[in-house]
């Protein structure tokens, strides 16, 4: 059972570089989310998607973009990386909202911007 | 306004004893869900337990139980018979709204639990 798969697990970027964090789930979940976790803090929502072709901003979307062309994949794009984007990024998915269905998380991507 | 408050940055508990991790929340919604996640040092987020706002009984999952006091807006996690493997960060999270909501979780800052042998 793969669940939610994130790649890469670790990455170091230089300021101004760009990259895409990959997220894929094999549970046929419509709802997918990107969170970031800064040291000593809880997770904050960057973007979310309620289905293929539909995305929307969360609490901290600046500096990021997403797309959702398929149910399975929800990549997160960083353009012009900045030191403030150094964080651990989690992708999550859930079957349904408004119920006891938990969000299933990937193992995270640890990103450092130097 | 902070919606999830975890007031204990760190907690210690002796192995085999019970421990309570505090969580208070703030919402104007009548329908919401409360979740607890465990994050070990390896970094993954592990779902532990769920409590719905309309659930009349406190949720239980094995050694985990949730002390839900709706009027006080608290949802404390109780871990019974602590084990060394319980040492981790614990996050309380809330999902507001019912079906049709975006379903994202709002997280507290977490409590670091250390179990002493």
């Amino acid at each position: 059972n793969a669940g939610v798969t994130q790649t890469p697990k670790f990455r170091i970027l230089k300021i101004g570089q760009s990259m895409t964090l990959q997220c894929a789930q094999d549970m046929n979940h419509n709802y997918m989310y990107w969170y970031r976790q800064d040291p000593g803090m809880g997770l904050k929502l960057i973007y979310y998607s309620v289905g293929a072709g539909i995305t929307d901003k969360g609490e901290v979307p600046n500096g990021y973009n997403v797309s959702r062309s398929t149910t399975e994949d929800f990549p997160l794009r960083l353009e012009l990386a900045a030191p403030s984007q150094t964080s651990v990024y989690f992708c999550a998915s859930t079957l349904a909202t408004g119920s006891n269905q938990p969000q299933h998380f990937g193992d995270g991507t640890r990103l450092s911007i130097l | 306004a902070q919606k999830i408050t975890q007031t204990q940055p760190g907690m210690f508990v002796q192995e085999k004893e019970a421990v309570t991790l505090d969580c208070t929340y703030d919402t104007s919604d009548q329908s919401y869900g409360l979740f607890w996640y465990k994050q070990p040092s390896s970094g993954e987020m592990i779902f532990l337990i769920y409590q719905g706002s309309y659930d009349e009984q406190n949720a239980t999952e094995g050694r985990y139980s949730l002390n839900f006091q709706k009027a006080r807006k608290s949802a404390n996690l109780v871990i019974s018979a602590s084990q060394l493997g319980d040492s981790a960060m614990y996050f309380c999270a809330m999902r507001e709204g019912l079906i049709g909501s975006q379903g994202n979780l709002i997280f507290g800052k977490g409590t670091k639990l250390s179990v002493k042998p």
Side-chain angles (χ1 to χ4, degrees), chain A residues 1-108:
Chain A
N1 294 336
V4 179
T5 303
Q6 289 184 240
T7 56
K9 294 190 184 304
F10 304 94
R11 185 72 183 269
I12 298 174
L13 283 182
K14 294 183 179 179
I15 295 171
Q17 287 185 323
S18 60
M19 77 164 293
T20 299
L21 281 65
Q22 301 292 344
C23 175
Q25 53 91 10
D26 62 358
M27 297 173 283
N28 203 32
H29 288 172
N30 279 328
Y31 299 87
M32 296 188 74
Y33 309 86
W34 275 105
Y35 295 91
R36 60 177 286 174
Q37 183 181 26
D38 297 329
M41 301 293 286
L43 281 65
K44 292 187 176 181
L45 183 68
I46 305 172
Y47 269 95
Y48 68 96
S49 170
V50 301
I54 306 170
T55 63
D56 207 347
K57 297 178 180 179
E59 181 183 358
V60 289
N62 291 345
Y64 307 95
N65 277 301
V66 294
S67 59
R68 184 96 181 270
S69 57
T70 67
T71 298
E72 294 77 20
D73 300 302
F74 190 38
L76 177 71
R77 178 88 176 157
L78 276 73
E79 306 281 2
L80 297 174
S84 61
Q85 293 177 304
T86 293
S87 191
V88 180
Y89 292 84
F90 286 98
C91 179
S93 73
T94 189
L95 178 64
T97 64
S99 70
N100 63 352
Q101 294 294 322
Q103 289 191 9
H104 301 266
F105 285 81
D107 288 342

Side-chain angles (χ1 to χ4, degrees), chain B residues 19-34:
Chain B
V19 63
T20 298
L21 306 183
D22 295 341
C23 173
T24 59
Y25 60 92
D26 183 27
T27 181
S28 56
D29 277 8
Q30 296 300 309
S31 301
Y32 51 89
L34 296 157

Side-chain angles (χ1 to χ4, degrees), chain B:
Chain B
Q2 191 171 4
K3 293 203 169 187
I4 296 287
T5 303
Q6 295 181 253
T7 57
Q8 307 152 313
M11 289 277 289
F12 287 91
V13 65
Q14 201 69 37
E15 192 179 9
K16 299 182 184 178
E17 291 185 349
V19 63
T20 298
L21 306 183
D22 295 341
C23 173
T24 59
Y25 60 92
D26 183 27
T27 181
S28 56
D29 277 8
Q30 296 300 309
S31 301
Y32 51 89
L34 296 157
F35 298 79
W36 277 91
Y37 281 84
K38 172 184 178 181
Q39 187 178 43
S41 58
S42 50
E44 69 269 31
M45 297 289 286
I46 302 168
F47 166 69
L48 296 177
I49 196 167
Y50 166 85
Q51 180 83 42
S53 59
Y54 293 119
D55 295 341
E56 294 184 350
Q57 292 192 331
N58 288 340
T60 60
E61 289 286 348
R63 293 186 301 110
Y64 304 108
S65 61
L66 206 152
N67 184 2
F68 181 48
Q69 298 187 42
K70 195 170 181 177
R72 293 186 175 187
K73 293 188 175 179
S74 73
N76 299 337
L77 177 70
V78 180
I79 305 174
S80 63
S82 297
Q83 302 172 356
L84 296 178
D86 294 335
S87 294
M89 283 290 290
Y90 289 80
F91 291 97
C92 179
M94 178 173 65
R95 181 174 61 205
E96 291 177 307
L98 281 177
I99 296 172
S101 68
Q102 65 194 47
N104 66 285
L105 297 176
I106 302 164
F107 284 84
K109 293 185 178 181
T111 295
K112 184 174 183 178
L113 178 66
S114 300
V115 181
K116 298 186 290 185

